[in-house]
Amino acid sequence: MFADTAKIIIKSGKGGNGHVSFRREKYVPDGGPDGGDGGKGGDVIFEVDESLNTLNDYRHKRKFAAQAGEEGGKKNCHGKKGEDLVLKVPAGTIIRDALTDKVIADMSGENKRQIILRGGKGGLGNQHFATSTMQAPKYAQPGQEAIELEVRLELKVIADVGLVGFPNVGKSTFLSRVTNAQPKIANYHFTTLNPNLGVVDMGWGDGFVIADIPGLIEGASEGIGLGHEFLKHVQRCKVLIHMVDAASVEGRDPIVDIHAICKELEAFDPALLEKPQVIAANKIDAFYEGENETIAALRAEFEPKCWKVYPISAVSGAGVKELISEVKQMLDQMDDTPVYYEQEYFPELHVFENEAYTVSYDEEKQEYVVEGPKIEKMLGYTNIESEKGFLFFQKFLKEQGILKELEGRGIQDGDTVRMYGLSFDYYK
């Protein structure tokens, strides 16, 4: 069965606890603390596998967890890092937070591998807590907790051109003629049950990908039938080909059909109607003249909208070359950048949203101090040494209202902010 959606629960690895131990050697009667640090928990990583084209692997198993980090040991031995969990998905898979439906990652284009949940940081062993007044600390830091999240995987077909139309208008036959795809072709009123993709070869290594979007029905945008499952595949397409039965073999009115499909496209996502569109008036082999009243009516109705009408026969190939040439010309005039969904949801930001933080001022050191489990955990999950990580941490401070509170306390450019051993210069 073709699967293009799945809902699963993913969990990163818990950080290993720091260890409490003391040196016990024959000639060292009062050995100091030597408890090792805990290992970092494993990350949950999504990776594109070009050999996959469905999400079937996630239909029967729902829970996936990375390995926890090991506890630290004696003699300053650090715990082993937890093994990462790598989940393989097809190109074009969008990962969304199941609760808010916001995008966490879009696994398409150059984004072949992305860490979705970071493992917990390992806790520090008791050797780190020795001071001049406390030389035998019996305390070690626990490892950071794992992050668990329910996500929805959604596969959107990646194609330059989307072929839309009601069932039995000849889309599968057309696709088999112009591409290397081999869809099942028959008079199915229940239509193709999964999108078929094929590459149109224009010669000299030039071409484009076309997708036969399963036949739509009225009410699809409201979820009737498999509407939502199919309509989302249109979103990535740059050009749409409306295919209609110009011979009205089943008594359908092509103009009414196009308006009905446009209504469903607009109801699902108004931006879909802004895409360049062209009309393929199929089955001209069913009547003697090159054009009939239906084709003339289609031209009168849609060419004022700049939607060109091409009479074709998917069976004989008549008019197909002209249609494909027009579509390729339309694509050549467009931006080559693929449709990409930006990240809207950052799991690390929301894990700590119910935990408190404090902002104070250290008069002695003349520094602003920000503390709390929320800050400590965020620092553990974020690599602030990288530009991307630092920008992410700044976004966290802004969204949590911490920057606003610092400003309310009178912080000025150049003032120092201290967070768990890390110091930053503040600049607005």
Side-chain angles (χ1 to χ4, degrees):
M1 177 184 176
F2 179 82
D4 58 2
T5 60
K7 191 178 284 188
I8 62 173
I9 295 171
I10 54 176
K11 185 177 182 179
S12 62
K14 179 186 180 299
N17 296 327
H19 191 69
V20 176
S21 64
F22 300 90
R23 292 178 64 189
R24 293 292 182 264
E25 299 176 30
K26 186 174 182 179
Y27 300 107
V28 187
D30 298 316
D34 68 351
D37 301 342
K40 177 183 175 297
D43 299 332
V44 178
I45 302 169
F46 278 77
E47 186 175 87
V48 170
D49 185 338
E50 300 293 349
S51 67
L52 296 177
N53 56 16
T54 78
L55 295 170
N56 274 334
D57 293 346
Y58 303 102
R59 294 297 290 267
H60 305 294
K61 182 180 177 182
R62 289 205 67 233
K63 294 188 176 181
F64 299 85
Q67 191 177 47
E70 288 185 357
E71 183 178 339
K74 299 177 181 179
K75 300 182 180 179
N76 299 327
C77 291
H78 294 330
K80 183 180 177 183
K81 178 185 180 299
E83 190 173 336
D84 294 336
L85 172 68
V86 180
L87 300 176
K88 303 291 184 72
V89 293
T93 299
I94 294 178
I95 304 162
R96 297 179 182 270
D97 171 56
L99 185 62
T100 64
D101 208 40
K102 290 184 176 180
V103 175
I104 300 174
D106 185 350
M107 307 303 296
S108 44
E110 297 298 318
N111 191 30
K112 304 291 186 183
R113 181 181 172 93
Q114 183 169 334
I115 297 174
I116 303 301
L117 296 181
R118 295 187 180 276
K121 188 178 180 180
L124 299 175
N126 68 331
Q127 60 175 305
H128 295 277
F129 301 98
T131 65
S132 58
T133 56
M134 173 61 72
Q135 296 183 6
K138 297 181 179 179
Y139 166 80
Q141 188 181 44
Q144 284 186 327
E145 293 298 322
I147 303 177
E148 184 172 289
L149 186 68
E150 185 175 31
V151 297
R152 184 167 65 84
L153 308 182
E154 179 182 276
L155 176 59
K156 289 180 184 283
V157 167
I158 300 176
D160 300 301
V161 178
L163 194 57
V164 297
F166 277 82
N168 301 326
V169 295
K171 299 198 308 302
S172 295
T173 304
F174 176 78
L175 190 73
S176 67
R177 171 167 287 279
V178 300
T179 74
N180 55 357
Q182 297 180 333
K184 294 179 181 179
I185 300 170
N187 189 26
Y188 294 125
H189 281 85
F190 294 101
T191 193
T192 311
L193 288 180
N194 55 276
N196 286 305
L197 268 72
V199 177
V200 178
D201 185 4
M202 303 296 290
W204 301 99
D206 198 10
F208 57 88
V209 179
I210 186 169
D212 168 15
I213 307 300
L216 301 176
I217 60 174
E218 290 184 72
S221 59
E222 299 169 8
I224 295 176
L226 295 175
H228 284 154
E229 305 301 316
F230 295 157
L231 280 164
K232 64 173 176 280
H233 293 298
V234 186
Q235 289 180 304
R236 287 199 192 269
C237 299
K238 296 178 180 179
V239 174
L240 298 182
I241 299 177
H242 289 270
M243 183 160 284
V244 293
D245 177 3
S248 300
V249 172
E250 297 191 351
R252 302 190 64 92
D253 184 335
I255 294 177
V256 173
D257 283 357
I258 292 175
H259 282 305
I261 285 179
C262 287
K263 180 180 177 183
E264 298 305 325
L265 294 175
E266 184 177 28
F268 183 73
D269 182 357
L272 294 179
L273 285 189
E274 297 175 10
K275 296 177 181 289
Q277 313 198 26
V278 65
I279 296 170
N282 192 25
K283 303 187 181 181
I284 61 171
D285 54 289
F287 46 84
Y288 294 109
E289 302 86 2
E291 295 193 11
N292 63 0
E293 293 180 359
T294 301
I295 293 175
L298 285 167
R299 292 190 191 280
E301 180 74 16
F302 296 106
E303 289 198 341
K305 294 183 178 181
C306 297
W307 292 10
K308 292 185 179 180
V309 177
Y310 284 85
I312 69 163
S313 169
V315 173
S316 70
V320 170
K321 184 177 180 181
E322 290 78 6
L323 170 62
I324 291 301
S325 296
E326 170 66 18
V327 171
K328 183 63 172 68
Q329 191 174 358
M330 294 167 76
L331 289 170
D332 288 343
Q333 295 172 354
M334 299 177 68
D335 185 0
D336 287 337
T337 306
V339 177
Y340 183 80
Y341 293 82
E342 294 291 336
Q343 185 170 2
E344 302 171 316
Y345 187 93
F346 298 84
E348 288 89 348
L349 284 179
H350 297 274
V351 168
F352 321 121
E353 57 191 359
N354 296 321
E355 297 182 358
Y357 64 86
T358 60
V359 177
S360 59
Y361 186 72
D362 186 334
E363 295 282 355
E364 182 180 345
K365 295 185 177 180
Q366 295 186 330
E367 293 178 340
Y368 289 87
V369 182
V370 181
E371 293 180 318
K374 178 185 295 189
I375 306 298
E376 184 180 14
K377 288 180 180 179
M378 175 54 71
L379 285 170
Y381 284 113
T382 309
N383 178 17
I384 59 172
E385 293 181 3
S386 71
E387 182 181 0
K388 185 177 180 181
F390 189 72
L391 291 173
F392 173 71
F393 189 63
Q394 280 188 314
K395 178 182 174 70
F396 167 78
L397 296 177
K398 182 178 181 180
E399 291 193 354
Q400 297 299 315
I402 296 172
L403 293 182
K404 187 175 182 180
E405 188 161 340
L406 285 168
E407 290 166 4
R409 287 177 172 268
I411 194 169
Q412 300 295 319
D413 283 356
D415 287 349
T416 301
V417 180
R418 187 174 77 241
M419 302 181 191
Y420 290 93
L422 297 173
S423 296
F424 307 91
D425 290 332
Y426 173 85
Y427 290 98
K428 192 168 183 178

